[in-house]
Amino acid sequence: MIGRDRVPLFVTLAYCAGLFTLVGTVVGVVLAYVKRDEVAGDWGESILTYLIRTFWIGLAVGIVGSVLTVVLIGWLVLAALFVWYALRCLRALLATYDRKPISDPETYLF
């Protein structure tokens, strides 16, 4: 069993692994959905919300970027997506380390 205070850490680390393999992100979002009720009302809830939104926004932008690779601009979209995703992972990791909630977990940016 994962302790209540370690759930955000494991989810964040899975997302960080997602920078190199899509499997990490999928494992992270599934774990976030499964454990979200367990951390409700705690600092970890905002981190899981932030990471779940990261998955869905990233998926949508990734699909658009993939379609646009036909006209070459998609490669720029995918590169920007990688940087955006990495920065969101870093922000979640720092918040997890400090055990503090993310101030605006529903933001589209960082």
Side-chain angles (χ1 to χ4, degrees):
M1 295 295 279
I2 299 174
R4 175 186 168 112
D5 59 334
R6 293 189 181 186
V7 170
L9 175 63
F10 283 115
V11 173
T12 303
L13 290 176
Y15 269 71
C16 290
L19 287 166
F20 307 103
T21 174
L22 182 62
V23 174
T25 306
V26 173
V27 168
V29 77
V30 168
L31 187 59
Y33 273 116
V34 168
K35 296 289 187 173
R36 185 163 53 172
D37 291 338
E38 189 175 309
V39 296
D42 200 1
W43 57 271
E45 181 179 19
S46 69
I47 294 171
L48 295 186
T49 300
Y50 183 77
L51 290 172
I52 289 169
R53 286 184 55 82
T54 299
F55 173 79
W56 290 112
I57 294 168
L59 180 64
V61 173
I63 290 170
V64 169
S66 295
V67 169
L68 290 176
T69 57
V70 175
V71 290
L72 301 180
I73 195 165
W75 295 109
L76 293 174
V77 173
L78 293 175
L81 175 62
F82 181 84
V83 171
W84 173 84
Y85 184 89
L87 290 173
R88 285 182 69 101
C89 285
L90 180 63
R91 182 175 182 205
L93 193 59
L94 292 173
T96 301
Y97 178 77
D98 292 337
R99 293 180 184 239
K100 293 184 179 176
I102 291 181
S103 58
D104 185 15
E106 296 189 5
T107 184
Y108 289 100
L109 295 176
F110 313 107

